[in-house]
Amino acid sequence: MDRLKGKTILLGKEPGQGRLLLAIVGGKTAVIGSPNSVPNSVSRCRVAEGVAHAKINVDQNGNMILTNMKPQNVTYVNGSEIVSKRISQSNTVELGKDRFSVSVPMILETAKKMTVTPIPNTGPGPKPEQTKKKFNIKHLEAIYNDYHAKVIERQRKQKKLGILASCSMFFTIGGGAVAAVANKLGMGETAQDYLWIFPVVGFIVFFISMYMRIKDTSIEDADATNIEYTKRFVCPNPDCGKFLGNMPYELMKTQYSMQCPIAKVNS
């Protein structure tokens, strides 16, 4: 965390490719995820203009403040919409109306790597036995697929809850519409015998949706999933063990030919 003190991290959608874009103000940028993995409700990050969906300010004591950067954006911390809020690595952060979930530990780990300046190698180079040692990442496929499936399942669950909640309004408005049509047709008195069904059904649907939201554990599940993922999706080199970020496994496999992207040699 020391390397991030005094830094500002911008978060938003990558223009063009639609991945999650991270940028340290005045520094480097990095992308996370596969193309078009970030929904349109997440605002674009335009580094040159200093514009993004949200930003994380890290003060000199290591405290982090998450700020929603545009009035038309929405940003959530632990399920509650915020404008600006102090956060920790255990918090659940979601961007946009689609509640795109981002892992705070993953953001910080990626940002730390962006602050490292490579040191020129002026020595004689690695020993022959070091250059031969490489670490296979095949076992990470199942870990990534399990994490990705849980994220998609949680997003679908939130979408279904939103649709269910809107159904109660449909019945309320529908009752009024039916009454208006019935009066136009001269059937108002007959319709009155049945119109009570609409508000009753609407109330039942509203009660069910509220009960399901109260019982919903998506926030806790997301937190547990992110923590488990950051612990398991790590470099297989026992001398390294660093979190590999949120790069899709298929992209990692293509770029690194089944070798660990961090520790290609035994350090």
Side-chain angles (χ1 to χ4, degrees):
M1 182 62 79
D2 288 342
R3 295 203 301 266
L4 296 179
K5 290 181 178 179
K7 304 289 187 182
T8 297
I9 306 169
L10 302 180
L11 304 174
K13 184 176 182 179
E14 177 192 25
Q17 291 296 318
R19 297 171 291 186
L20 180 64
L21 177 63
L22 276 64
I24 294 181
V25 175
K28 300 179 180 179
T29 62
V31 291
I32 298 174
S34 56
N36 301 317
S37 59
V38 179
N40 291 330
S41 59
V42 178
S43 294
R44 290 177 176 84
C45 180
R46 302 185 186 278
V47 182
E49 303 171 17
V51 175
H53 186 100
K55 64 180 179 180
I56 298 176
N57 292 311
V58 185
D59 65 20
Q60 295 300 330
N61 295 319
N63 299 316
M64 297 181 292
I65 303 296
L66 175 67
T67 302
N68 187 67
M69 294 188 67
K70 295 181 180 179
Q72 63 269 33
N73 293 345
V74 284
T75 300
Y76 302 90
V77 175
N78 293 340
S80 299
E81 185 176 345
I82 62 98
V83 175
S84 184
K85 183 177 178 62
R86 181 173 173 177
I87 62 172
S88 67
Q89 295 196 44
S90 63
N91 289 143
T92 298
V93 174
E94 297 168 310
L95 307 179
K97 295 180 179 178
D98 295 300
R99 293 178 178 265
F100 177 73
S101 179
V102 297
S103 167
V104 177
M106 176 194 66
I107 295 298
L108 297 179
E109 188 64 31
T110 303
K112 288 177 186 176
K113 295 174 184 176
M114 293 158 58
T115 63
V116 176
T117 302
I119 301 176
N121 184 10
T122 58
K127 296 180 181 180
E129 61 271 17
Q130 291 179 321
T131 59
K132 295 179 181 179
K133 184 66 175 178
K134 296 183 179 181
F135 299 87
N136 195 288
I137 59 174
K138 174 63 179 176
H139 67 286
L140 297 176
E141 180 176 14
I143 297 174
Y144 178 82
N145 288 342
D146 178 63
Y147 168 76
H148 185 66
K150 290 179 179 178
V151 171
I152 295 299
E153 181 183 0
R154 189 166 60 250
Q155 291 176 348
R156 287 175 176 171
K157 183 178 180 180
Q158 288 295 320
K159 184 177 180 179
K160 290 178 181 178
L161 286 175
I163 293 174
L164 181 62
S166 64
C167 286
S168 61
M169 184 181 298
F170 168 79
F171 281 102
T172 301
I173 297 175
V178 171
V181 172
N183 288 330
K184 285 285 186 181
L185 298 176
M187 301 171 60
E189 294 183 2
T190 302
Q192 290 296 328
D193 295 335
Y194 302 97
L195 288 178
W196 62 269
I197 297 176
F198 286 88
V200 169
V201 173
F203 175 79
I204 293 173
V205 173
F206 175 76
F207 178 80
I208 292 174
S209 65
M210 288 296 296
Y211 178 79
M212 292 179 66
R213 284 196 175 276
I214 292 172
K215 292 295 184 179
D216 182 37
T217 59
S218 295
I219 296 175
E220 294 80 3
D221 293 343
D223 190 36
T225 299
N226 289 333
I227 292 174
E228 179 186 14
Y229 181 62
T230 54
K231 289 181 178 178
R232 298 177 63 201
F233 201 71
V234 298
C235 169
N237 182 355
D239 295 327
C240 178
K242 293 181 179 179
F243 175 56
L244 297 178
N246 202 31
M247 179 185 292
Y249 175 78
E250 288 299 323
L251 182 60
M252 185 182 295
K253 181 176 68 174
T254 301
Q255 291 188 1
Y256 298 104
S257 302
M258 303 305 296
Q259 300 165 7
C260 173
I262 295 179
K264 290 187 177 182
V265 299
N266 189 8
S267 58

